[in-house]
Each structure stands twice: as C-alpha cells, then as structure tokens.
Amino acid sequence: MIRLVAPLTVAFGVLTLLTALATMMVAVPLAMVTMITGFCWYAERPRTPRHNGLCGGCRAGCVECRERIEIAS
C-alpha cells in the first residue's frame, strides 16, 4: 500500500497540470473575447451630450436634469 503513494502522487500531480492547461486553453481565450466585446460595446454605445460637465437634457430626464429642474423651479 505504501509503495503506491508516490506513484499516485505523481500521477495526480500530472493530471492536475493537464487539467490546468486544458482549462487555461479554454478560459483565457474566453476571457479575452469577453473583455474585447465589453470594450467594443462601451466604445460604441451612445452618449448623452454634456454641457459644463452636466447632462445635456434628455427627454427621459436623468437624475442630473431633474435636479436642475427642481432647483430652478
């Protein structure tokens, strides 16, 4: 029984490394695709026009616009 401990340890170590490599071959490209997709979405989404650092005044009325309207009233 004790003679099996060392070979089993080596075998499980090799299996662990193979599993890690297989995981990285899937996880790393998937993470890169996710980051690139997120960046492209962020770069392409429409922006509200800004004047002096405040919202330009959309029809829906964002929080900054509503605050300015309430202060002006």
Side-chain angles (χ1 to χ4, degrees):
M1 180 71 178
I2 293 179
R3 292 183 185 182
L4 290 176
V5 172
L8 282 176
T9 304
V10 171
F12 285 136
V14 169
L15 286 174
T16 301
L17 290 175
L18 289 175
T19 304
L21 286 173
T23 303
M24 285 191 305
M25 291 183 73
V26 172
V28 171
L30 188 60
M32 292 296 291
V33 167
T34 303
M35 288 190 312
I36 291 169
T37 302
F39 175 76
C40 291
W41 173 82
Y42 176 77
E44 292 294 321
R45 69 187 177 120
R47 303 270 198 285
T48 56
R50 294 193 165 267
H51 303 289
N52 297 325
L54 298 173
C55 176
C58 55
R59 289 187 66 175
C62 64
V63 174
E64 292 175 357
C65 294
R66 282 183 268 152
E67 286 176 353
R68 281 190 288 155
I69 291 169
E70 288 174 3
I71 290 173
S73 304

